[in-house]
């Protein structure tokens, strides 16, 4: 399955063949853990491809095994389930899993993962309850203030900007967009940067600044052209 994961972006047909081989091997093992780990890995591949319905199907098969295991063993799987349910508008399920992973990381006092979970929870509420979203993003930003993670901070600053766009406070929105721009310059990953540039472009388009809008849209396109095979 590791080979399939490496091939998934560049040679999908070969990746599928290795998935079939891995499935056959897992099933022959007669080990519940081996089979669950196979489905979890398969879910990860489809999650990265943004095929959320297929990823969910495989994750749930893995969760049949991991649901009763210690939180340390099921955390990553539950976090991915929370994200998928949030992105597919299954509010009750998303909150159920977000609460599980938040409780676990809070007990561990893992600041980095707590900040990431709060960012995910803020994203979940962004188009539902913007004030709740702001609370989660600001709490995440406070937790991450001493963390050297430009990628996380770029997402947080951009998400805070999006909140203030929805609240029709353009000056605050622009301030956070500019902070996110610094995060990009400090080393945020390329796909995240493309997302940020697109959001900043839309902000300028909405506020009648076509030149700036085109400038940032082109930066997003340039990045995507460079990373997509």
């Amino acid at each position: 399955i590791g080979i399939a994961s490496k091939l998934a972006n560049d040679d999908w047909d070969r990746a599928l063949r290795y998935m079939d081989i891995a499935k056959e091997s897992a099933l022959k093992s007669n080990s519940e853990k081996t089979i669950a780990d196979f489905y979890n890995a398969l879910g990860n591949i489809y999650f990265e491809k943004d095929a959320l319905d297929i990823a969910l199907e495989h994750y749930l098969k893995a969760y049949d095994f991991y649901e009763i295991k210690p939180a340390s063993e099921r955390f990553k799987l539950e976090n991915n389930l929370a994200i998928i349910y949030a992105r597919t508008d299954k509010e009750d399920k998303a909150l159920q899993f977000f609460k599980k992973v938040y409780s676990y990381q809070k007990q561990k006092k893992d600041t980095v993962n707590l900040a990431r979970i709060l960012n995910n929870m803020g994203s979940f509420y962004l188009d539902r309850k913007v004030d709740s979203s702001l609370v989660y993003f600001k709490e995440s930003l406070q937790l991450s203030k001493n963390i050297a993670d430009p990628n996380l901070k770029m997402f947080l600053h951009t998400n805070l900007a999006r909140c203030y766009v929805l609240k029709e406070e353009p000056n605050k929105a622009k301030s956070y967009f500019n902070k996110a721009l610094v995060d990009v310059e400090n080393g945020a990953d390329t796909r995240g940067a493309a997302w940020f540039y697109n959001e900043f472009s839309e902000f300028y388009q909405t506020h009648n600044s076509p030149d700036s809008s085109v400038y940032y849209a082109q930066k997003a396109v340039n990045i995507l052209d460079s990373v997509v095979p």
Side-chain angles (χ1 to χ4, degrees), residues 71-108:
S72 59
E73 294 182 33
R74 65 177 194 266
F75 160 72
K76 289 183 179 179
L77 177 56
E78 288 181 337
N79 190 59
N80 287 340
L81 284 167
I83 292 169
I84 289 179
Y85 282 128
R87 291 180 59 188
T88 53
D89 295 322
K90 294 180 176 66
E91 183 170 348
D92 291 342
K93 285 285 189 180
L95 289 175
Q96 173 191 338
F97 282 102
F98 274 134
K99 286 176 182 177
K100 285 176 181 285
V101 295
Y102 180 78
S103 175
Y104 169 64
Q105 293 300 337
K106 195 166 186 179
Q107 289 175 10
K108 281 191 66 181

Side-chain angles (χ1 to χ4, degrees), residues 160-178 200 203-204 206-208:
L160 281 163
R162 295 167 70 205
C163 285
Y164 286 113
V165 168
L166 291 173
K167 289 174 70 69
E168 298 183 354
E169 298 183 44
N171 289 336
K172 286 185 178 180
K174 188 174 181 180
S175 173
Y176 279 109
F177 274 127
N178 284 330
F200 208 6
F203 170 78
Y204 276 119
T206 302
H207 291 84
N208 299 315

Side-chain angles (χ1 to χ4, degrees), residues 42-158:
L42 198 57
N44 289 339
I45 291 172
Y46 282 100
F47 185 82
E48 290 297 321
K49 301 287 283 186
D50 218 32
L52 300 184
D53 54 340
I54 302 174
L56 177 61
E57 177 185 346
H58 295 311
Y59 280 149
L60 289 175
K61 288 179 180 177
Y63 198 60
D64 284 341
F65 173 80
Y66 276 104
E67 185 173 10
I68 61 172
K69 299 301 178 185
S72 59
E73 294 182 33
R74 65 177 194 266
F75 160 72
K76 289 183 179 179
L77 177 56
E78 288 181 337
N79 190 59
N80 287 340
L81 284 167
I83 292 169
I84 289 179
Y85 282 128
R87 291 180 59 188
T88 53
D89 295 322
K90 294 180 176 66
E91 183 170 348
D92 291 342
K93 285 285 189 180
L95 289 175
Q96 173 191 338
F97 282 102
F98 274 134
K99 286 176 182 177
K100 285 176 181 285
V101 295
Y102 180 78
S103 175
Y104 169 64
Q105 293 300 337
K106 195 166 186 179
Q107 289 175 10
K108 281 191 66 181
K109 298 181 180 179
D110 187 329
T111 304
V112 174
N113 277 325
L114 271 176
R116 289 173 178 158
I117 292 164
L118 288 167
N119 177 59
N120 289 335
M121 293 176 75
S123 298
F124 172 72
Y125 279 110
L126 187 57
D127 294 319
R128 296 173 173 85
K129 300 174 183 177
V130 67
D131 288 332
S132 296
S133 190
L134 272 172
V135 170
Y136 286 119
F137 289 141
K138 287 185 176 180
E139 186 177 352
S140 178
L141 192 62
Q142 179 66 24
L143 280 174
S144 63
K145 65 179 181 180
N146 295 320
I147 298 172
D149 189 338
N151 207 48
L152 172 60
K153 290 181 179 178
M154 178 207 65
F155 279 110
L156 283 169
H157 288 138
T158 306

Side-chain angles (χ1 to χ4, degrees), residues 17-35:
R17 288 199 293 274
Y18 278 104
M19 289 179 212
D20 288 339
I21 293 169
K23 182 176 183 179
E24 183 179 352
S25 176
L27 294 176
K28 282 183 177 179
S29 73
N30 289 320
S31 163
E32 290 184 359
K33 185 179 186 305
T34 298
I35 294 169

